[in-house]
Each structure stands twice: as structure tokens, then as C-alpha cells.
């Protein structure tokens, strides 16, 4: 009898399982009392319309890989995807509801996008083994829950720079395929820059014959030698228009809009190498940059370009060129917007150019910011004539915003605030929170990254887009991945996750559910899923933060962690620290001695979680100077 009772007890607790923890955090998720739903070889998947059945098929494909079950698609199934006949206003176009009982799962939405996102949440409700790429044994149970969910912002983007490093068609699809798991819906494709023009423009063949190739360099980006005279440009890569159509179709199937970016008038070395007549100096020796340094940065936004990498705003031929480019770009991309760049344009060559000076006089333009504004306004007319809307980096505010332009605020949030004040819509990508190329841990423990400032995970998670801006004007936000130091897809993933998970919460979930500790818990569950799905991610969030300061002429070292509940252990005797080393409790007086090295590591519940990082005394002192 005791055995029977124990068995009954076990059965009860094995059928009632806890809700999984989803990223992004849903608006409402309620655990119900009934037993879990079990996926079996005879489970069927239904869709009440053709559109719903299309998504049912995507779900069947996804979950048959790990389960090995041959799911059949019907009008009515155990897992049912329904498009509403009467619109549910609460969930809008992208929202959904899920009801899981022991017998059925019902996902309901007003539109296909909502069903698609409901499906993504459903996948996260399944055990992590569902991410396995081969058939695996698991208890395929779904907790009995009720979910009501819809996004906070309509524009939830990730940007990938494919100019500084080229990513193959398959890589780009992979990146898009991963981002939709977290309900991102805009892929901002930075297609042109000084280091490569990556989109075929049939009427301007040199853009890819010349502009998509640069001389080969190895090592550390930014330290490379400039292209030498006569040196063959063998490092090439671009997307044909067929490639682009294929990627657009792939994205569309996943409810992702692609935002193509053609970055002008600055950042145009690759275009100018192809057609030197486009810049003021008409310098035919200009070559696509392999990632060498050709600029000087003075701080405070001041800089100088040592080669002329800006289009000439006073030349009608430049607008004819852009008309051809945007005609073909507009035909390829179905989205509403085209991004025309506008950032970091050096005006030095414009200042010396007779044509620019004459135009400024003729148009009564007071300075070169107004000249750039003149350029953007003409570009806006071109973009508009192709049936599209212009969005540009926040520099397009300087000298006066084009009448209907939207602004992508990257130099902090000020550009976004100002544009919204002027009644323009904005997409928020402030670099100190959302630039995921920036270093996410200690430089001593990270691969080479853009590191002029760090954007740790907690910093990204702390971002609040609506701070100081009327939400009416915020379309949404993006995390941006520049690729100077991102040569591979694996590394792109490392920089993207987990920060893009934080950003997914910020852009999708209500502000009221924001909670760092709970985010960390959900992130750690995603780590396990990502391991099975072969998605790379950074574990830098576990590493110790070491902060030197000077007190009474002595070096003082403080230590902390982003995650609560970690222990930091350290040594200063050259040995490798572990949980038997000295535990950090308060700032330490760092001993004198040039060769002393601090080594730190983090543990949780007796298990190592962070990396061992070694800080030579000289490095700590160097950091004092930078503070
Ligand atoms: C930018 O980061 N230059 C937009």
C-alpha cells in the first residue's frame, strides 16, 4: 500500500510541471492546476486556416527533429493554431494567447505574425531538449499555462554590418533564423561602408566589381597596412540580387522586415573606389579600405578623414547615381523604410571644394551641416519617389531634418529626444546601451572588441527607451552589431547573446515586469537551450569586475559582479585562484611590487562560473589614468 501511495504521489508530481521561463518575458503567464500536456508520436497539429496551417507546418518541422515524431497537419489537432474570426483588440497584430491543458494546446492570434510568436513561446515551453539537432529521449511535457502576450514596441531590431566583414548568404539567414526565436522583427542590414559595397546594383556594376573587393589583411583590425599600389584586391564578397531576393523571402516567412542601409554621404570609400568622380577630390587612387586606419579622432565628436570618403553634395551626378541605387534597392526590399546612413560624414573636403562653396552660396547654406541637410533632403525626395520612407543616423538632425525623415538615435538618446520633439518618429539605438560590438566583459578576458567603452549585459538590460521621450514617436529600438572585429558568425553570436536577449525583453515586454534577477534566471535557461541549438553566446556576465582607485596614495582594488549571489576569490601570489583562495569581502590595499598580479575568479554555490582573470599591477595602474 505504501508503495502504491508513493507511486501515486510521483505520478501527480511528474504530471504537474512548472512553467518554463520565456525570453522575452510575456505580458501574462499563469500556471494552471491541470496536469501537463504531453507530446507523443500520435500528436497532431491543426490550423483553422491555410495561413495558420503554414505556421503549423513550421512548428511540425521544428519539433519533429528532436522528438522524431511524424506530426500530421490537419484542420483540427491536439495542438491547434487558430486565427481569430473576431479580432481580439488586446493582443493587436503581433500578440497571441496560449492555453495549455492536459489534452490540448491552443494558440490564438489575430494575424499570422501573432501565431508565429505564439509558436516561438510554445517552443520555449517545451523542455530544452527540443533544441536538439538529432532525435533525443525526453519527457515531452508542456506545463499547463495560460499566456496572454503582445509587444511593447512595433520595431524590434538587430543590425548586422556586412561591410567590415562579409557574411555569407547562409550566415545571414542563420542570424535571422535565430533572432526570430526572441520575437525580433527587423533585420537592419548595413550593406555599404568604407570597407566594402555588398549589394549588386545592376546599373552600376563597378560597385561590386571594385567596391566589394579589398586587399587581404590578417591580424588586428585597425592596425593594417593601407592598400599598396598594384596590390590585387582578393578579399571579396557581395550579394547578388537573387541572393537578396532569397534572403528577403526567408525573412518574410519569419515575419521579419529587412531594413537595407546604404550609408551616404560619408562612409563611402567603397563607392568612391568604384566611381571616383562621386567625391569632391575625384581621387582615383582611393581604394576600398581593408580595415586600415585612415582617420583621426579627437574626442567630442571631432574627427578628420585622411582620404576623401564622402560623396559630393554639389554634383548632380551624385544624385543620378543615388537614384539608380535606390531604384534597385527599393525594388528588392518590400519594407517601408530605406536607411540612408548619414553618420560621421567628414566635411573637410566639402569646405575646400569650389562646387560645394558655390552651392552653399546659391542656397544660402550657412555651414556644412546645412549642406549635409541639403543632401539628405534631396536623397529623401529620391527615396520617396521610389515609394519608401527615409531613416538615417541622428547626424541628419544637424542643419535641419528632412521633412518626413525618421531618426535612428545612436549617439546617446539626445537625437531621439530632439527628433521626437520635432514630431518625427525615432528608433532608439543608443550606443552606450545597445552597441553589441562593444566589449561586454573585462578586456583582459575578452576577444579583441571595440572597447572604447564597455556595454555589459546589465547595462543593456537597464536601458529604458521611453525615458524622456514621448512614446508616441518611438517606433522601437535595435541592438547594433558593427563587424570590424566580428569576422565569423560564431563570433557574431557571441557578441549578440545574451545582450540581444536583454534587448528582446526591453522591446517586447512591459516595463512593469522588468526584473534583473529574473532575467538572469531566464538567461541561464536560454544558455542551456543555446548549447543544444549550437548558438554561441558569451558567459562574460559571470566574470568579476575589478575596479582600481587611489586612496592616500595607495592602490585600492574593489571587486564586484553583475549577477547577485556570486563569490569572488583572488590571489596575489601568482597561484591560480579557486574557492579555497581568499574570498573578496571589501576593497583591498594592493601591495607594492611591480610584478604583483591579481588573479580573480567567481563561484556560485561552490561551482566555478566565471573565468580566471589576471590583472598585472601595471595594468591596474594604467586603468587609473583612463578613469
Ligand atoms: C554609427 O555607429 N556610426 C552609426
Amino acid at each position: 500500500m505504501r508503495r502504491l501511495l508513493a507511486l501515486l504521489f510521483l505520478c501527480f508530481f511528474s504530471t504537474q510541471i512548472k512553467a518554463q521561463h520565456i525570453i522575452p518575458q510575456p505580458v501574462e503567464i499563469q500556471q494552471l492546476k491541470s496536469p501537463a500536456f504531453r507530446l507523443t508520436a500520435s500528436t497532431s497539429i491543426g490550423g483553422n486556416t491555410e495561413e495558420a496551417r503554414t505556421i503549423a507546418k513550421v512548428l511540425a518541422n521544428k519539433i519533429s527533429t528532436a522528438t522524431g515524431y511524424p506530426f500530421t497537419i490537419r484542420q483540427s489537432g491536439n495542438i491547434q493554431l487558430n486565427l481569430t474570426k473576431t479580432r481580439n483588440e488586446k493582443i493587436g497584430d503581433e500578440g497571441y494567447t496560449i492555453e495549455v491543458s492536459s489534452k490540448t494546446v491552443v494558440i490564438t492570434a489575430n494575424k499570422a505574425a501573432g501565431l508565429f510568436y505564439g509558436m516561438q513561446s510554445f517552443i520555449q515551453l517545451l523542455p530544452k531538449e527540443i533544441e536538439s539537432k538529432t532525435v533525443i529521449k525526453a519527457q515531452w511535457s508542456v506545463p499547463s499555462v495560460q499566456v496572454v502576450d503582445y509587444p511593447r514596441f512595433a520595431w524590434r531590431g538587430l543590425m548586422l554590418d556586412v561591410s567590415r566583414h562579409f557574411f555569407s548568404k547562409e550566415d545571414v539567414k542563420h542570424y535571422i533564423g535565430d533572432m526570430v526565436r526572441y520575437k525580433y522583427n527587423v533585420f537592419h542590414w548595413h550593406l555599404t561602408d568604407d570597407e566594402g559595397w555588398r549589394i549588386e546594383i545592376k546599373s552600376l556594376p563597378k560597385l561590386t566589381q571594385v567596391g566589394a573587393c579589398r586587399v587581404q589583411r590578417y591580424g588586428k583590425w585597425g592596425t593594417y597596412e593601407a592598400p599598396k599600389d598594384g596590390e590585387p584586391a582578393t578579399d571579396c564578397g557581395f550579394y547578388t540580387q537573387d541572393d537578396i531576393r532569397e534572403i528577403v523571402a526567408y525573412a518574410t516567412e519569419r515575419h521579419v522586415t529587412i531594413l537595407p542601409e546604404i550609408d551616404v554621404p560619408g562612409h563611402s570609400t567603397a563607392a568612391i573606389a568604384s566611381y571616383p568622380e562621386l567625391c569632391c577630390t575625384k581621387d582615383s587612387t582611393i581604394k576600398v579600405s581593408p580595415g586600415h586606419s585612415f582617420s583621426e579622432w579627437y574626442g567630442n565628436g571631432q574627427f578628420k578623414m585622411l582620404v576623401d570618403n564622402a560623396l559630393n553634395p554639389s554634383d548632380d551626378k551624385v544624385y543620378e547615381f543615388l537614384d539608380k541605387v535606390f531604384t534597385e534597392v527599393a525594388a528588392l526590399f518590400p519594407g517601408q523604410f530605406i536607411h540612408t546612413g548619414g553618420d560621421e560624414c567628414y566635411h573637410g573636403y566639402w569646405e575646400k571644394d569650389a562646387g560645394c562653396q558655390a552651392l552653399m552660396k546659391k542656397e544660402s547654406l550657412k555651414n556644412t551641416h546645412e549642406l549635409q541637410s541639403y543632401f539628405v533632403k534631396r536623397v529623401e525626395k529620391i527615396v520617396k519617389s521610389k515609394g519608401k520612407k527615409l531613416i538615417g543616423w541622428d547626424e541628419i538632425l544637424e542643419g535641419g531634418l528632412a521633412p518626413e525623415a525618421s531618426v535612428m538615435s545612436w549617439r546617446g538618446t539626445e537625437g531621439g529626444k530632439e527628433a521626437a520633439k520635432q514630431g518625427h518618429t525615432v528608433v532608439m539605438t543608443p550606443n552606450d546601451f545597445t552597441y553589441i560590438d562593444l566589449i561586454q566583459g573585462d578586456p583582459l578576458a575578452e576577444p579583441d572588441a571595440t572597447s572604447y567603452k564597455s556595454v555589459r549585459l546589465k547595462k543593456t538590460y537597464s536601458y529604458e527607451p521611453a525615458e524622456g521621450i514621448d512614446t508616441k514617436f518611438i517606433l522601437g529600438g535595435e541592438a547594433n552589431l558593427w563587424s570590424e572585429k566580428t569576422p565569423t558568425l560564431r563570433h557574431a553570436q557571441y557578441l549578440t547573446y545574451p545582450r540581444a536577449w536583454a534587448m528582446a525583453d526591453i522591446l517586447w515586454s512591459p516595463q512593469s515586469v522588468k526584473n534583473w534577477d529574473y532575467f538572469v534566471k531566464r538567461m541561464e535557461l536560454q544558455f542551456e537551450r543555446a548549447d543544444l541549438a549550437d548558438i554561441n553566446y558569451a558567459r562574460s556576465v559571470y566574470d568579476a569586475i575589478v575596479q582600481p582607485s587611489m586612496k592616500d596614495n595607495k592602490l585600492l582594488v574593489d571587486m564586484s559582479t553583475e549577477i547577485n549571489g556570486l563569490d569572488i576569490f583572488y590571489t596575489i601570489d601568482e597561484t591560480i585562484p579557486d574557492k579555497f583562495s581568499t574570498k573578496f569581502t571589501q576593497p583591498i590595499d594592493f601591495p607594492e611590487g611591480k610584478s604583483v598580479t591579481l588573479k580573480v575568479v567567481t563561484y556560485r554555490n561552490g561551482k566555478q562560473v566565471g573565468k580566471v582573470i589576471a590583472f598585472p599591477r601595471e595594468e591596474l595602474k594604467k586603468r587609473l589614468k583612463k578613469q
Side-chain angles (χ1 to χ4, degrees):
M1 185 63 188
R2 284 229 323 255
R3 272 220 191 138
L4 190 64
L5 276 176
L7 199 67
L8 279 172
F9 183 83
L10 240 167
C11 278
F12 179 77
F13 280 97
S14 60
T15 50
Q16 228 226 354
I17 59 168
K18 273 256 176 289
Q20 298 286 319
H21 303 279
I22 297 171
I23 289 182
Q25 162 80 351
V27 175
E28 291 169 33
I29 179 162
Q30 225 182 7
Q31 176 94 40
L32 304 176
K33 289 234 158 34
S34 48
F37 174 86
R38 273 191 205 294
L39 213 59
T40 67
S42 55
T43 301
S44 57
I45 307 181
N48 71 337
T49 67
E50 202 52 54
E51 230 184 345
R53 282 190 290 279
T54 303
I55 296 170
K57 271 183 217 144
V58 177
L59 176 61
N61 270 341
K62 166 74 190 174
I63 62 180
S64 64
T65 308
T67 60
Y69 300 154
F71 298 102
T72 52
I73 309 293
R74 308 180 183 160
Q75 175 89 18
S76 164
N78 313 105
I79 301 172
Q80 182 66 21
L81 277 64
N82 285 339
L83 283 169
T84 53
K85 294 197 174 73
T86 313
R87 187 176 164 85
N88 174 352
E89 284 304 334
K90 185 172 179 185
I91 58 175
D93 285 352
E94 293 188 297
Y96 63 91
T97 60
I98 305 180
E99 300 255 359
V100 182
S101 68
S102 60
K103 301 232 160 43
T104 57
V105 174
V106 182
I107 307 175
T108 310
N110 294 319
K111 293 271 172 75
L115 277 188
F116 185 75
Y117 297 132
M119 175 190 75
Q120 298 300 347
S121 288
F122 173 68
I123 292 166
Q124 289 195 41
L125 288 172
L126 279 158
K128 63 174 188 282
E129 288 79 10
I130 204 66
E131 297 299 345
S132 170
K133 306 220 155 172
T134 52
V135 175
I136 189 173
K137 278 220 157 17
Q139 280 279 357
W140 300 113
S141 302
V142 183
S144 190
V145 288
Q146 194 166 38
V147 182
V148 180
D149 199 16
Y150 45 88
R152 181 172 175 208
F153 293 107
W155 183 307
R156 304 177 302 278
L158 291 182
M159 188 209 80
L160 182 65
D161 168 8
V162 295
S163 173
R164 275 53 177 267
H165 277 101
F166 181 68
F167 289 81
S168 70
K169 179 175 71 179
E170 291 312 320
D171 282 350
V172 171
K173 285 198 206 166
H174 200 129
Y175 197 77
I176 294 171
D178 286 344
M179 67 189 251
V180 298
R181 294 163 174 266
Y182 314 107
K183 306 186 176 78
Y184 280 100
N185 66 354
V186 177
F187 175 64
H188 173 173
W189 207 359
H190 185 79
L191 285 161
T192 73
D193 215 299
D194 299 306
E195 292 83 1
W197 183 284
R198 305 302 190 185
I199 171 173
E200 179 188 30
I201 302 295
K202 288 186 189 288
S203 58
L204 296 160
K206 282 206 264 176
L207 281 174
T208 41
Q209 286 162 1
V210 177
C213 293
R214 63 195 190 205
V215 299
Q216 185 76 58
R217 293 289 181 267
Y218 299 98
K220 246 186 167 173
W221 183 276
T223 66
Y224 299 150
E225 234 186 309
K228 293 194 270 280
D229 274 349
E231 190 182 358
T234 56
D235 183 4
C236 302
F238 71 92
Y239 310 98
T240 65
Q241 295 202 351
D242 280 343
D243 289 339
I244 287 175
R245 278 187 279 271
E246 188 179 321
I247 291 170
V248 167
Y250 180 91
T252 307
E253 278 167 23
R254 287 156 183 77
H255 300 274
V256 167
T257 302
I258 299 188
L259 172 71
E261 181 182 351
I262 305 295
D263 196 353
V264 289
H267 284 278
S268 289
T269 308
I272 289 166
S274 314
Y275 297 99
E277 62 273 22
L278 295 172
C279 70
C280 290
T281 57
K282 306 199 184 334
D283 181 351
S284 61
T285 67
I286 290 174
K287 304 230 169 14
V288 179
S289 168
H292 71 301
S293 167
F294 59 92
S295 53
E296 290 172 357
W297 297 84
Y298 310 121
N300 272 343
Q302 303 296 310
F303 57 92
K304 178 179 180 175
M305 292 295 164
L306 306 174
V307 296
D308 185 0
N309 74 338
L311 304 183
N312 178 356
S314 70
D315 188 347
D316 281 343
K317 290 215 175 62
V318 165
Y319 300 98
E320 285 162 24
F321 164 85
L322 289 173
D323 193 282
K324 285 182 183 164
V325 171
F326 289 124
T327 300
E328 295 191 33
V329 170
L332 285 168
F333 294 95
Q336 202 184 10
F337 283 95
I338 293 178
H339 198 306
T340 63
D343 57 321
E344 298 171 323
C345 180
Y346 178 61
H347 298 167
Y349 298 95
W350 295 358
E351 278 156 11
K352 290 192 201 119
D353 181 75
C356 286
Q357 295 309 310
L359 176 67
M360 286 171 71
K361 209 161 165 196
K362 179 167 157 245
E363 297 288 332
S364 306
L365 305 173
K366 288 196 282 300
N367 52 44
T368 50
H369 291 303
E370 292 193 4
L371 182 56
Q372 181 161 342
S373 168
Y374 167 91
F375 172 88
V376 178
K377 284 172 185 156
R378 278 188 72 168
V379 171
E380 184 181 54
K381 280 199 187 119
I382 296 172
V383 167
K384 210 173 155 186
S385 75
K386 316 297 168 204
K388 302 290 182 184
K389 290 174 80 167
L390 179 147
I391 185 165
W393 299 112
D394 57 50
E395 283 93 335
I396 67 168
L397 275 154
E398 293 162 3
L401 206 43
E404 293 167 48
S406 297
V407 169
M408 200 167 264
S409 187
W410 75 278
R411 295 175 301 175
T413 56
E414 289 313 305
K417 286 180 187 159
E418 180 53 36
K421 251 192 231 155
Q422 294 180 26
H424 293 251
T425 51
V426 300
V427 175
M428 299 305 291
T429 66
N431 58 1
D432 32 3
F433 295 96
T434 74
Y435 267 33
I436 52 177
D437 59 316
L438 299 184
I439 203 152
Q440 57 191 315
D442 196 284
L444 291 173
E446 289 294 319
D448 189 27
T450 319
S451 57
Y452 63 92
K453 51 185 163 188
S454 70
V455 174
R456 287 186 181 262
L457 178 65
K458 197 170 185 180
K459 184 85 194 276
T460 302
Y461 191 74
S462 74
Y463 179 52
E464 170 40 48
E467 211 168 84
I469 310 185
D470 184 345
T471 36
K472 183 164 93 216
F473 295 106
I474 305 178
L475 298 174
E478 286 182 8
N480 291 346
L481 181 52
W482 301 98
S483 68
E484 284 90 339
K485 302 192 175 177
T486 313
T488 64
L489 177 68
R490 282 293 283 178
H491 195 57
Q493 292 174 337
Y494 177 88
L495 291 169
T496 301
Y497 305 109
R499 287 180 291 187
W501 296 334
M503 199 62 185
D505 258 23
I506 290 162
L507 296 172
W508 179 283
S509 311
Q511 211 183 339
S512 58
V513 303
K514 196 163 177 165
N515 178 312
W516 169 245
D517 291 334
Y518 185 45
F519 172 74
V520 170
K521 177 176 173 158
R522 285 180 293 127
M523 172 196 75
E524 292 189 302
L525 293 167
Q526 284 303 323
F527 282 172
E528 293 176 13
R529 285 173 181 264
D531 285 338
L532 284 155
D534 288 342
I535 298 174
N536 199 15
Y537 56 87
R539 299 173 66 87
S540 320
V541 68
Y542 294 117
D543 293 343
I545 301 169
V546 168
Q547 185 76 36
S549 62
M550 285 307 274
K551 196 174 169 211
D552 304 329
N553 234 7
K554 281 180 138 179
L555 185 59
L556 199 69
V557 177
D558 198 3
M559 301 181 211
S560 59
T561 56
E562 289 179 77
I563 293 184
N564 295 319
L566 304 192
D567 298 318
I568 307 173
F569 297 93
Y570 68 93
T571 64
I572 47 170
D573 60 4
E574 299 300 306
T575 60
I576 298 167
D578 62 17
K579 63 184 172 186
F580 302 100
S581 308
T582 311
K583 185 172 170 177
F584 175 82
T585 52
Q586 60 184 51
I588 55 170
D589 279 328
F590 206 73
E592 295 293 332
K594 250 190 162 55
S595 67
V596 183
T597 294
L598 170 73
K599 291 184 183 166
V600 300
V601 69
T602 55
Y603 275 69
R604 181 167 57 193
N605 302 328
K607 258 190 80 190
Q608 183 181 341
V609 286
K611 299 189 271 296
V612 173
I613 314 177
F615 297 83
R617 194 178 206 281
E618 289 309 297
E619 169 68 22
L620 294 170
K621 287 194 75 178
K622 219 163 64 193
R623 291 185 184 190
L624 283 174
K625 289 202 192 100
K626 284 193 196 152
Q627 285 167 14

